[in-house]
Amino acid sequence: MSKKTQIGEGAMVEYVTAMIGGQLFGLPISRVQDVFMPERVTRVPLASREIAGVLNLRGRIVTVIDMRARLGLPKVEDGKAPMAVGVDLRGESYGLLIDQIGEVLRLPEDGKEENPVNLDPRMAKLAGGVHRLDGQLMVVLDVDRVLELKIEVQMAA
């Protein structure tokens, strides 16, 4: 169900890019519902620190996931408002809080590699592979892993 197009000999995959803690991440565009600036996030009592809260987005209740907390990174102190990437899992809406949204990249599907052994374990548990770009590594976020972890955290509580 991912957005793939045939060009020449290989399939291309499109990714929405995002910066979190100085690291470039890519989310498969087929999983991204929208990109928005979260306003009026309401904290949820007794929720894990990874759950920033909930908000109303065009009539839907959206659970907001703090990706910095999910990755074990410190809170950002630069005063910039975070962005959010809207994703769905089994009919539920989620907003992934990120530092900055990037551009949409079209990359060859066969250019995606397995997670390198030296990838930070906090990223590796949420990554579905990497793409080596000019001068940097783009970690492909596995949206299912990001959101399934939330269920494990709740069950453990």
Side-chain angles (χ1 to χ4, degrees):
M1 184 162 165
S2 67
K3 180 135 180 163
K4 298 176 187 173
T5 54
Q6 289 295 115
I7 296 202
E9 63 276 349
M12 302 292 280
V13 181
E14 292 182 305
Y15 295 97
V16 175
T17 60
M19 292 296 283
I20 307 168
Q23 174 61 52
L24 181 67
F25 288 90
L27 291 97
I29 200 166
S30 62
R31 297 301 304 271
V32 174
Q33 304 296 319
D34 49 26
V35 175
F36 58 96
M37 299 221 29
E39 295 178 20
R40 297 197 347 227
V41 175
T42 305
R43 287 284 308 151
V44 177
L46 305 177
S48 73
R49 72 182 197 93
E50 296 174 347
I51 308 297
V54 295
L55 59 81
N56 184 329
L57 182 66
R58 295 186 291 279
R60 291 192 76 178
I61 299 300
V62 176
T63 302
V64 181
I65 309 291
D66 184 341
M67 288 304 296
R68 281 182 158 271
R70 177 72 92 230
L71 291 164
L73 300 172
K75 287 191 177 290
V76 69
E77 302 294 333
D78 64 6
K80 284 187 193 170
M83 298 287 298
V85 177
V87 295
D88 278 359
L89 180 67
R90 293 190 292 277
E92 293 293 321
S93 296
Y94 298 89
L96 306 179
L97 279 186
I98 59 171
D99 297 344
Q100 181 181 343
I101 195 74
E103 57 192 349
V104 173
L105 293 180
R106 290 173 49 103
L107 300 172
E109 186 174 34
D110 59 4
K112 185 166 103 174
E113 303 172 20
E114 294 294 319
N115 293 341
V117 294
N118 61 349
L119 184 64
D120 185 316
R122 297 172 299 186
M123 289 182 199
K125 70 182 179 188
L126 303 178
V130 298
H131 276 278
R132 295 181 193 279
L133 306 176
D134 292 334
Q136 64 182 342
L137 191 69
M138 183 185 83
V139 177
V140 177
L141 276 180
D142 183 324
V143 175
D144 291 335
R145 284 191 208 165
V146 169
L147 299 178
E148 289 298 329
L149 188 57
K150 174 185 152 292
I151 293 166
E152 291 171 22
V153 168
Q154 285 182 339
M155 293 172 85

